[in-house]
Amino acid sequence: MFTSGIAIALAGASIAIIFGGWGSAYGVGVAGEAGAGVISEKPEVFGKVLLIQALPGTQGVYGFVGA
């Protein structure tokens, strides 16, 4: 039913989604830990830290678009 080309394309799309999502989740976690430490000392920089934490989340979107 599937030709080898379709199977390889589906495997590539799966890899893009899996690793894009995994890397994004890991990056958000690391940035969140660092951001929590910064906010505990300087609460006035919350907006900047929130932006830095959101940036790794966009990498997951790139994985979905690439797939």
Side-chain angles (χ1 to χ4, degrees), residues 2-3 5 8 10 12 14 18-19 23 32-33 38 45 50-51 53:
F2 286 109
T3 61
I8 291 172
L10 290 175
S14 299
I18 290 168
F19 285 122
E33 289 178 14
V38 170
V45 296
L50 184 64
L51 176 64
Q53 185 177 357

Side-chain angles (χ1 to χ4, degrees), residues 6-52:
I6 293 175
I8 291 172
L10 290 175
S14 299
I15 289 171
I17 290 174
I18 290 168
F19 285 122
W22 179 78
S24 176
Y26 180 76
V28 168
V30 170
E33 289 178 14
V38 170
I39 291 173
S40 68
E41 294 181 9
K42 297 177 90 178
E44 63 272 5
V45 296
F46 176 76
K48 293 179 182 179
V49 171
L50 184 64
L51 176 64
I52 290 173

